[in-house]
Amino acid sequence: MPNSPIRVPYLDLKAQYKSIKPEIDAAIARVLDSCQFVLGAEVSSFEQEFAAYAGAADCIALNSGTSALHLALLAAGVGPGDEVITVPFTFVASVAAVLYTGARPILIDIDPRTFTMEPGAIEAAITLRTKAILPVHLYGHPADMDPIMEVARRHGLVVIEDAAQAHGAKYKGHPVGNIADMTCFSFYPTKNLGAYGEGGAVTTSNAEYAKKVRSLRDWGQDRKYHHVLRGYNYRMEGFQGAILGVKLRHLEAWTETRRAIVSRYNELLADCGVERPGEMPWARHAYHVYTLRTQDRDGLQAALLADGIQTSVHYALPVHLQPAYADLGYRRGDLPKAEAAAQQVLSLPLYPELSPSAIAEVADAVCKAASRNVQIV
Ligand SMILES: *Cc1c(COP(=O)(O)O)cnc(C)c1O
């Protein structure tokens, strides 16, 4: 079947830029005038504003979400010989960052209702080497943090959240960034709060962790050219701080728009034979992506593309089945809920600028294709 021209793209970054162009262009001009290209005043003020947004005492701006995970783990003292409990159903960076420190990732299964860490699986994975727990707020839905924090406190473990997809998410009314010991964000351009380049941050209310992350991002210096820690070049650029400062002022409105689009999708897809994403009663889902489940995912994706609707899959292979991570020692069947999700999830176009007619077109195409799929089965 030949693919038709794209009617609805999976993402449209240009539409958002156009909607805030004067503010962004002015912010970029300020950085050019100041010549503060790395860190600087724009990055510092973004740090303050984002800390407040995330309900944390401090925010350390970095050059990526991966760097945020790496430095949070190092600040927690994670290193060779340690174990960190995390999930396989995530972007590889959550697991890779643990390996960067020399520690071993221990993967546990997910709760299929939220696609996030199953708290009931933590206790059995704890050993004398366990140092930290790293839940991932996948798709923007927070993991069930109370039982995670409870088991961590009982065993003296640090909790580091991967909130790369969860800016603006809340757990029992608390913003993500206000619950665990450290929270890691990504500002990759496609994220809910996206830079125009790479970016990331750690938020924390622990002054010791904040100090360590801040030092490690800039070569472990306590003063110029005096290195007390073996650090990294993980600094945020001035342009990104200025751009993120502008975009942060729009984030709440964008998140509300995402949530309204999701409600509309949920209505339109109610009787179409696909499983719609859920939101736990204690959660404010930030809807980084709208992910449905279906038996014939690849068939549905192909049918939608043939109909001009671009979709995406997050993620077709859980980390433990990725070739690069085969030596972690897991096999197919070890983490069945993550593996089943990986075969069935499909993400529909979702961005604040998505028009009502595009939403209707997507939903219509899904219903048509899904009803055909059901007949084939
Ligand atoms: C995007 C992402 C990361 C990595 O962030 P980068 O800024 O691309 O380094 C980590 N974890 C998850 C869940 C992500 O979605």
Side-chain angles (χ1 to χ4, degrees), residues 71-93:
L71 294 194
L73 288 159
L74 291 177
V78 172
D82 294 331
E83 293 176 353
V84 175
I85 297 171
T86 188
V87 286
F89 195 55
T90 181
F91 182 62
V92 284

Side-chain angles (χ1 to χ4, degrees), residues 148-165:
I148 294 173
M149 296 306 293
E150 189 277 320
V151 71
R153 293 297 173 249
R154 204 148 32 79
H155 291 271
L157 308 175
V158 179
V159 178
I160 297 168
E161 296 162 288
D162 182 339
Q165 305 186 357

Side-chain angles (χ1 to χ4, degrees), residues 64-66 69 90-91 93-94 136 138 162 164-165 186-188 191 198-199 315:
S64 76
T66 306
L69 290 163
T90 181
F91 182 62
S94 321
V136 181
L138 199 72
D162 182 339
Q165 305 186 357
S186 165
F187 306 121
Y188 185 75
K191 303 285 160 92
E198 305 277 356
Y315 299 90

Side-chain angles (χ1 to χ4, degrees), residues 108-366:
I108 61 173
D109 218 340
I110 55 164
D111 177 345
R113 293 174 302 172
T114 60
F115 300 104
T116 63
M117 180 177 277
E118 166 55 61
I122 296 172
E123 194 100 45
I126 293 175
T127 72
L128 290 173
R129 296 171 186 269
T130 309
K131 197 80 169 238
I133 306 175
L134 200 165
V136 181
H137 304 314
L138 199 72
Y139 305 151
H141 193 294
D144 191 0
M145 292 306 293
D146 276 353
I148 294 173
M149 296 306 293
E150 189 277 320
V151 71
R153 293 297 173 249
R154 204 148 32 79
H155 291 271
L157 308 175
V158 179
V159 178
I160 297 168
E161 296 162 288
D162 182 339
Q165 305 186 357
H167 328 71
K170 287 185 182 162
Y171 178 76
K172 299 188 179 172
H174 296 277
V176 159
N178 173 258
I179 302 157
D181 296 293
M182 283 176 271
T183 307
C184 303
F185 293 91
S186 165
F187 306 121
Y188 185 75
T190 61
K191 303 285 160 92
N192 286 20
L193 180 60
Y196 288 161
E198 305 277 356
V202 173
T203 61
T204 181
S205 295
N206 177 310
E208 278 302 306
Y209 292 149
K211 192 174 161 204
K212 207 153 174 200
V213 171
R214 204 172 287 280
S215 172
L216 286 169
R217 82 167 163 187
D218 194 13
W219 292 112
Q221 301 174 88
D222 63 347
R223 56 185 192 275
K224 202 169 170 87
Y225 304 134
H226 188 260
H227 304 267
V228 290
L229 295 171
R230 291 196 188 171
Y232 300 82
N233 171 4
Y234 282 175
R235 299 170 301 236
M236 178 176 277
E237 293 188 349
F239 286 122
Q240 307 312 335
I243 289 161
L244 289 165
V246 168
K247 288 184 140 201
L248 180 57
R249 294 196 270 284
H250 297 277
L251 183 58
E252 268 308 291
W254 286 335
T255 304
E256 281 307 314
T257 307
R258 283 176 182 276
R259 291 176 56 78
I261 293 169
V262 166
S263 300
R264 189 71 188 129
Y265 268 148
N266 283 342
E267 282 165 29
L268 294 170
L269 297 175
D271 303 309
C272 291
V274 293
E275 193 179 323
R276 296 164 297 165
E279 181 180 47
M280 299 304 270
W282 38 258
R284 183 204 197 200
H285 197 322
Y287 287 109
H288 174 54
V289 290
Y290 183 94
T291 297
L292 48 79
R293 281 183 85 137
T294 177
Q295 291 297 322
D296 180 16
R297 187 266 316 286
D298 293 343
L300 180 57
Q301 185 173 39
L304 289 172
L305 191 59
D307 203 4
I309 310 293
Q310 253 182 357
T311 58
S312 190
V313 174
H314 306 97
Y315 299 90
L317 262 191
V319 179
H320 69 290
L321 301 181
Q322 296 282 356
Y325 300 93
D327 65 352
L328 293 181
Y330 296 91
R331 291 168 180 279
R332 192 173 286 280
D334 286 348
L335 297 154
K337 293 187 176 113
E339 292 167 25
Q343 290 180 357
Q344 296 177 353
V345 290
L346 183 69
S347 307
L348 302 185
L350 175 59
Y351 40 94
E353 299 76 23
L354 196 65
S355 70
S357 62
I359 297 163
E361 278 183 75
V362 172
D364 190 51
V366 171

